Amino acid sequence: MASDQVTIDELLDVQQDVSQEILKLTSNYKKDSAERKSQAGYHKFKAKTLNAKCSIIQGNDETIRKTGELPKNHEYFTFFNDIKKPLIKTLKA
């Protein structure tokens, strides 16, 4: 059983790392100048990068939830909802 817990811990670490990358990407997107945003391929590159990060987060989230090892009140579930807010806001912009 200990190896399962390590796996969950590793997934939680990856979720934290990838979420920080997403937050950095969304923050930098907001700061980028209009000139930069108007460059060919800019939005496509940002969208591709965000989609890749989101796929990682989503896949890991499904794995974490399927294991059932975390209690429903574990801080991860609040964290997961918190990471979605700025991402959705950026995608709508």
Side-chain angles (χ1 to χ4, degrees):
M1 262 319 184
S3 64
D4 289 341
Q5 186 60 39
V6 171
T7 302
I8 292 298
D9 287 343
E10 289 173 352
L11 286 174
L12 292 174
D13 287 343
V14 169
Q15 293 293 78
Q16 181 67 37
D17 292 344
V18 174
S19 70
Q20 291 302 315
E21 292 172 17
I22 288 172
L23 291 174
K24 185 176 178 181
L25 281 168
T26 57
S27 175
N28 288 345
Y29 177 81
K30 292 175 192 175
K31 294 177 191 175
D32 281 347
S33 67
E35 180 182 337
R36 185 172 210 183
K37 289 178 181 177
S38 67
Q39 292 176 353
Y42 172 84
H43 292 285
K44 188 175 183 177
F45 173 76
K46 291 290 185 178
K48 184 178 178 180
T49 303
L50 278 174
N51 282 332
K53 303 289 182 193
C54 289
S55 292
I56 292 168
I57 290 277
Q58 189 173 13
N60 288 344
D61 181 63
E62 289 174 14
T63 301
I64 289 168
R65 289 176 190 271
K66 283 180 184 177
T67 66
E69 290 185 35
L70 297 179
K72 297 292 182 200
N73 63 347
H74 191 276
E75 65 184 335
Y76 167 75
F77 298 110
T78 303
F79 151 80
F80 185 74
N81 288 330
D82 288 347
I83 191 63
K84 289 192 301 189
K85 290 175 189 175
L87 181 60
I88 290 170
K89 196 174 189 177
T90 299
L91 293 175
K92 286 183 179 181

